[in-house]
Amino acid sequence: QVQLVQSGAEVKKPGASLKVSCKASGYTFTSYDINWVRQATGQGPEWMGWMNPNSGNTGYAQKFQGRVTMTRNTSISTAYMELTSLRSEDTAVYYCARSLGGTYYYAYDSWGQGTLVTVSS
Amino acid sequence: DIQMTQSPSSLSASVGDRVAITCRASQSISNYLNWYQQKPGKAPKLLIYAASSLQSGVPSRFSGSGSGTDFTLTISSLQPEDFATYYCQQTYSFPWTFGQGTKVEIK
């Protein structure tokens, strides 16, 4: 079955960087885009960007431009999301999600379990 | 950015009730609208894609309708496992955006 398994919880200090991994299994990793979404406590999800694992092409929300980088290692079917210059407002659960194209209109049919990131001095 | 506004923000209902949640986009998004269910401490789960298509494995009591700017998620007969928070998402134009959520609670 399709599975996305993310790296564990992190505690970071303001100004530090973060790198979350998302290991895919149960499908051909390069066939579907991976999106990253975060969710602060009590808030709705917030889209951060997308990556095509086949080409490596990416697209980021303007809010995160210059601070976020999405990459992948196809040999181990793993996607990564790096966020720099962390601030307290970046405290959230970060999710990777598989995006379906075509008639699914890019809906997310599979999600990672989430990675809690706490930014605190 | 396209703003997605859900209403109500919360509702109380009983098992067996028919429940409707609405989602309004700040501009037309055709039918590029998805619905998710989220339970505490869990990732969201896809229910409906392309406004009205039921995701595989999702019970048929869930249905979606609408196009353009106004959309509705309907649960025809609320079951105990349906108490959760529901989010709409537009994938019409970047940045993709979500609604703020509708929490469905037990009456």
Side-chain angles (χ1 to χ4, degrees):
Chain A
Q1 76 283 19
V2 174
Q3 203 169 10
L4 298 173
V5 178
Q6 298 181 220
S7 47
E10 304 245 26
V11 179
K12 296 290 185 180
K13 293 196 181 304
S17 295
L18 164 75
K19 191 169 187 177
V20 179
S21 66
C22 171
K23 182 170 176 60
S25 61
Y27 73 100
T28 302
F29 176 63
T30 51
S31 294
Y32 300 92
D33 289 354
I34 291 288
N35 283 232
W36 289 88
V37 172
R38 74 179 187 180
Q39 187 173 29
T41 301
Q43 304 295 312
E46 179 178 32
W47 180 79
M48 299 180 69
W50 64 270
M51 180 191 65
N52 180 307
N54 186 46
S55 64
N57 289 344
T58 55
Y60 305 136
Q62 187 157 11
K63 175 177 180 176
F64 301 103
Q65 286 277 2
R67 282 209 303 146
V68 70
T69 305
M70 296 176 188
T71 58
R72 88 290 191 211
N73 183 333
T74 56
S75 67
I76 56 172
S77 300
T78 299
Y80 303 92
M81 187 282 297
E82 183 171 18
L83 189 64
T84 61
S85 303
L86 291 170
R87 36 221 192 215
S88 58
E89 309 89 89
D90 294 318
T91 294
V93 176
Y94 288 74
Y95 293 101
C96 60
R98 186 177 83 158
S99 174
L100 300 178
T103 57
Y104 283 86
Y105 287 19
Y106 309 108
Y108 304 152
D109 73 325
S110 294
W111 296 65
Q113 81 277 18
T115 297
L116 175 62
V117 174
T118 304
V119 182
S120 174
S121 55
Chain B
D1 298 2
I2 297 176
Q3 307 302 317
M4 306 300 292
T5 303
Q6 290 182 230
S7 60
S9 56
S10 66
L11 65 90
S12 294
S14 301
V15 172
D17 283 354
R18 182 181 182 89
V19 167
I21 299 168
T22 63
C23 178
R24 175 164 289 175
S26 60
Q27 65 186 74
S28 177
I29 58 171
S30 183
N31 62 337
Y32 284 74
L33 190 285
N34 309 309
W35 288 98
Y36 300 88
Q37 175 194 68
Q38 188 176 34
K39 296 183 178 180
K42 299 294 186 182
K45 172 188 172 184
L46 178 64
L47 299 176
I48 301 285
Y49 62 93
S52 60
S53 296
L54 190 68
Q55 170 65 351
S56 176
V58 174
S60 59
R61 63 181 179 271
F62 291 93
S63 63
S65 64
S67 67
T69 60
D70 294 313
F71 302 87
T72 302
L73 173 70
T74 301
I75 309 172
S76 60
S77 177
L78 201 63
Q79 297 302 301
E81 59 269 29
D82 300 337
F83 292 95
T85 301
Y86 294 83
Y87 295 98
C88 61
Q89 176 204 27
Q90 65 82 18
T91 53
Y92 181 77
S93 70
F94 291 126
W96 293 346
T97 46
F98 291 82
Q100 82 282 8
T102 295
K103 186 173 184 179
V104 177
E105 299 175 301
I106 301 172
K107 194 171 192 177

